[in-house]
């Protein structure tokens, strides 16, 4: 579609013209956005914001530059603004105290030289299936989940209990992909520690 006709169709709110614009430039806009922000998920949000900017501003497009240049300027400016905002913000997980740093000790895993790197050096000693399925064990797990900080509890419940995908959790809780992973890791480590303590 010729640029003048495309611009006229966009101004007429023609959905087919908008789809054509996305087909032509969407992937490139995503690549540009990824240069300024921390993750693909954030870059996708930036591109969505940029498309909204295009729709709102198409009536003011004066044609001093090509439509393509105008689109990429919008996405670059949106991405730069978002990148600066991300750099200034501190993830919620950074406010956790040292006691929130519980995790599995690396000593419990084999190193790179022997066996299967990353696997248990000595598996947990007592994990009989009957015990794991027992109501008492499940109560221990539930109490451990209930004691988690709210953000960790929400992420763990959505991911491991309800079966949500990571991106669904990020969207529902409005957290970044990195923050979601940190919250989930810490929550799992605390529940694991409570379960190991119970199982001896």
């Amino acid at each position: 579609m010729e640029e003048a006709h495309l611009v006229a169709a966009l101004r007429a709110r023609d959905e087919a013209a908008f789809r054509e614009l996305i087909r032509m430039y969407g992937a490139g806009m995503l690549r540009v956005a990824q240069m300024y922000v921390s993750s693909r998920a954030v870059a996708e949000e930036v591109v969505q914001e940029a498309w909204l900017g295009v729709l709102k501003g198409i009536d003011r497009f004066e044609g001093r530059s090509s439509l393509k240049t105008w689109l990429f300027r919008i996405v670059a400016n949106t991405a730069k603004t978002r990148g600066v905002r991300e750099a200034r913000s501190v993830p919620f997980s950074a406010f956790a105290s040292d006691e929130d740093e519980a995790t599995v000790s690396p000593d419990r895993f084999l190193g790179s030289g022997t066996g299967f790197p990353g696997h248990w050096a000595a598996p947990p000693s007592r994990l009989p299936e009957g015990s794991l399925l027992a109501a008492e064990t499940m109560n221990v797990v539930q109490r451990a989940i209930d004691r988690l900080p709210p953000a960790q509890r929400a992420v763990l419940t959505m991911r491991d209990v309800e079966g949500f995908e990571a991106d669904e959790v990020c969207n529902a809780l409005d957290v970044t992909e990195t923050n979601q992973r940190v919250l989930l890791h810490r929550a799992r480590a605390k529940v694991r520690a409570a379960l190991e303590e119970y199982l001896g």
Side-chain angles (χ1 to χ4, degrees):
M1 193 180 288
E2 187 182 314
E3 185 171 296
H5 290 105
L6 183 56
V7 171
L10 290 169
R11 287 180 173 154
R13 306 302 187 246
D14 182 339
E15 287 185 37
F18 187 65
R19 280 195 302 272
E20 177 66 10
L21 200 64
I22 291 173
R23 185 194 65 73
M24 290 167 58
Y25 302 119
M29 290 172 70
L30 182 61
R31 283 191 294 275
V32 168
Q34 285 180 289
M35 292 190 292
Y36 298 100
V37 296
S38 61
S39 71
R40 181 181 175 93
V42 175
E44 288 171 353
E45 290 176 11
V46 165
V47 171
Q48 288 176 8
E49 284 180 49
W51 284 124
L52 290 174
V54 168
L55 290 175
K56 290 176 184 173
I58 192 66
D59 293 330
R60 294 187 308 273
F61 175 68
E62 297 174 354
R64 289 187 209 162
S65 62
S66 70
L67 181 63
K68 180 179 179 180
T69 301
W70 183 68
L71 291 172
F72 281 85
R73 188 176 303 126
I74 290 172
V75 77
N77 288 339
T78 306
K80 287 176 190 175
T81 302
R82 183 68 176 268
V84 168
R85 194 174 355 144
E86 276 190 328
R88 283 193 311 240
S89 67
V90 178
F92 183 72
S93 57
F95 295 106
S97 65
D98 288 342
E99 67 188 40
D100 288 339
E101 296 297 326
T103 190
V104 176
S105 169
D107 298 339
R108 294 174 69 180
F109 294 92
L110 293 173
S112 58
T114 59
F116 299 103
H119 290 257
W120 287 103
S125 59
R126 191 177 144 245
L127 290 177
E129 186 174 309
S131 178
L132 284 176
L133 298 176
E136 187 176 330
T137 304
M138 295 310 294
N139 286 336
V140 169
V141 170
Q142 188 58 54
R143 283 194 306 272
I145 292 172
D146 292 342
R147 286 193 305 266
L148 293 171
Q152 290 179 14
R153 183 172 56 243
V155 170
L156 180 83
T157 301
M158 290 181 77
R159 287 292 310 276
D160 293 347
V161 178
E162 299 295 329
F164 281 74
E165 296 294 324
D167 59 335
E168 295 172 317
V169 173
C170 291
N171 290 334
L173 300 179
D174 195 26
V175 295
T176 65
E177 185 180 341
T178 302
N179 202 5
Q180 185 264 161
R181 280 196 310 267
V182 169
L183 291 168
L184 183 61
H185 173 74
R186 289 180 178 171
R188 284 176 174 169
K190 289 175 186 175
V191 172
R192 183 187 309 112
L195 191 56
E196 287 178 347
E197 182 180 333
Y198 168 70
L199 295 173

